[in-house]
């Protein structure tokens, strides 16, 4: 992995291939560039120059004492592009990274060529479990207990992934190993706990890009798993209808983690859409 300094903080990233730039933004909880994108970076590098950073506070990037909001991540990724001279990138964001990708396109000076919002967070305010989700966000020790269990047991790690995938048996051994490895890093989940505390209120999520999507002038593909229980597929459908130049692809055998549940299909979709051969 390489390192670049952005706003005084080290951001670690994978860079691979040659061609038009493609920026891959991972999700939250215990995630990093190699965790969510590990099976798609190499095949995508045959067409693109792929950049898969660890977001600020995640993976091997610095974990400063800051507020880990969507706006913070979007501004850091804008600085990342500026520092590396990345111009007109296509951007694919997963879950939390999907909201960061939307923020990058709507709220920064980065000229996003094409945007792929996968299992995208930030498309509605309703909490998945209502008030219970809000209460959990105020009990960070429960998350610390879960992370401790991840660290102790690879089997528990795999079983826990059942909350974001349709069938854990479809996950590669390398995928489970990657999650387990990053769960054992000292600062695992610190940024996500901070994000959740700022993002969740009694009234719902703070971030909701849907009312602003009519201003999104970037060709956009929403990719969503039919069985996603974290972000309902209906939210992606509503977003695709609202954005001026957008379409929706629903993956029938996926839940919330398409790059790991169906990496071949994700490579196909990204190659076709971001290289401009369709859409």
């Amino acid at each position: 992995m390489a390192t670049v300094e952005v706003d005084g903080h080290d951001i670690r990233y994978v860079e691979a291939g040659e061609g038009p730039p493609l920026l891959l933004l991972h999700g939250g909880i215990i995630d990093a560039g190699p965790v969510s994108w590990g099976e798609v970076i190499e095949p995508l590098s045959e067409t693109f120059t792929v950049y898969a950073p660890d977001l600020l506070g995640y993976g091997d990037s610095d974990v400063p004492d800051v507020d880990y909001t969507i706006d913070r991540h979007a501004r850091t990724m804008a600085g990342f592009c500026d520092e590396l001279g990345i111009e007109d990138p296509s951007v694919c964001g997963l879950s939390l990274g999907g909201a960061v990708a939307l923020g990058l396109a709507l709220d920064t000076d980065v000229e996003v060529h094409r945007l792929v919002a996968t299992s995208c967070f930030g498309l509605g305010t309703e909490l998945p479990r209502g008030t219970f989700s809000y209460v959990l966000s105020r009990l960070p020790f429960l998350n610390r207990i879960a992370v401790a269990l991840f660290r102790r047991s690879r089997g528990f790690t795999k079983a826990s992934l059942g909350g974001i995938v349709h069938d854990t048996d479809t996950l590669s051994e390398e995928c489970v190993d990657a999650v387990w490895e990053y769960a054992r890093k000292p600062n695992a989940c610190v940024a996500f706990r901070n994000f959740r505390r700022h993002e969740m209120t009694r009234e719902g999520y703070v971030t909701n890009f849907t009312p602003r999507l009519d201003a999104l002038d970037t060709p956009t593909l929403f990719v969503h798993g039919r069985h996603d229980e974290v972000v309902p597929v209906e939210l992606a459908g509503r977003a695709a209808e609202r954005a001026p130049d957008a379409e929706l692809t629903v993956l029938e055998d996926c839940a919330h983690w398409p790059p790991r549940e169906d990496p071949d299909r994700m490579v196909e979709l990204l190659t076709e859409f971001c290289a401009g051969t369709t859409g």
Side-chain angles (χ1 to χ4, degrees):
M1 294 184 77
T3 304
V4 63
E5 184 176 305
V6 180
D7 296 331
H9 305 300
D10 284 348
I11 300 296
R12 297 279 282 170
Y13 66 98
V14 174
E15 179 180 350
E18 295 182 359
L22 173 61
L23 179 62
L24 303 177
L25 304 178
H26 63 74
I29 310 180
I30 300 169
D31 209 349
V35 176
S36 279
W37 306 112
E39 290 178 75
V40 303
I41 290 173
E42 183 176 351
L44 286 171
S45 70
E46 298 176 6
T47 305
F48 304 98
T49 301
V50 179
Y51 300 89
D54 294 351
L55 295 175
L56 188 68
Y58 289 84
D60 291 310
S61 290
D62 281 352
V63 189
D65 183 15
V66 298
D67 292 337
Y68 290 95
T69 62
I70 295 297
D71 180 65
R72 166 79 67 173
H73 287 306
R75 287 187 284 114
T76 300
M77 285 298 99
F80 176 85
C81 291
D82 185 59
E83 291 292 337
L84 294 179
I86 302 172
E87 297 182 353
D88 303 327
S90 291
V91 183
C92 178
L94 169 71
S95 191
L96 177 147
V100 177
L102 285 170
L104 200 64
L106 288 168
D107 297 325
T108 76
D109 293 332
V110 176
E111 294 289 338
V112 176
H113 173 63
R114 299 224 169 174
L115 191 155
V116 181
T118 305
S119 307
C120 187
F121 173 73
L123 301 180
T125 60
E126 185 175 350
L127 300 177
R129 298 175 184 85
T131 303
F132 182 65
S133 292
Y134 170 77
V135 172
L136 287 179
S137 74
R138 269 34 186 190
L139 299 173
F141 72 91
L142 293 177
N143 178 263
R144 292 190 180 95
I145 292 172
V147 172
L149 291 172
F150 269 77
R151 288 171 174 163
R152 289 172 59 90
S153 169
R154 183 185 183 280
F156 180 84
T157 295
K158 181 175 181 178
S160 296
L161 294 173
I164 62 170
V165 303
H166 183 48
D167 182 1
T168 57
D169 288 337
T170 65
L171 298 176
S172 68
E173 293 299 306
E174 180 272 332
C175 170
V176 178
D177 287 342
V179 178
W180 195 34
E181 174 189 350
Y182 278 81
R184 288 178 288 171
K185 292 186 179 294
N187 291 310
C189 244
V190 169
F192 182 73
R193 284 194 294 267
N194 176 284
F195 163 78
R196 188 171 61 174
R197 186 170 66 253
H198 287 90
E199 182 63 35
M200 289 185 176
T201 70
R202 291 187 182 277
E203 289 71 39
Y205 288 123
V206 171
T207 300
N208 180 19
F209 283 104
T210 300
R212 302 176 55 202
L213 290 179
D214 53 2
L216 183 65
D217 59 3
T218 303
T220 301
L221 173 65
F222 290 91
V223 179
H224 223 87
R226 176 70 69 189
H227 304 280
D228 192 340
E229 296 182 358
V230 180
V231 179
V233 65
E234 292 78 15
L235 296 184
R238 184 179 67 186
E241 291 176 356
R242 179 142 192 170
D245 187 4
E247 56 189 279
L248 170 67
T249 294
V250 177
L251 305 182
E252 296 296 333
D253 295 321
C254 287
H256 191 64
W257 212 15
R260 285 298 192 174
E261 295 180 87
D262 196 348
D264 291 342
R265 181 61 174 144
M266 281 299 299
V267 169
E268 179 184 19
L269 287 170
L270 284 167
T271 301
E272 291 179 350
F273 187 74
C274 295
T277 57
T278 66

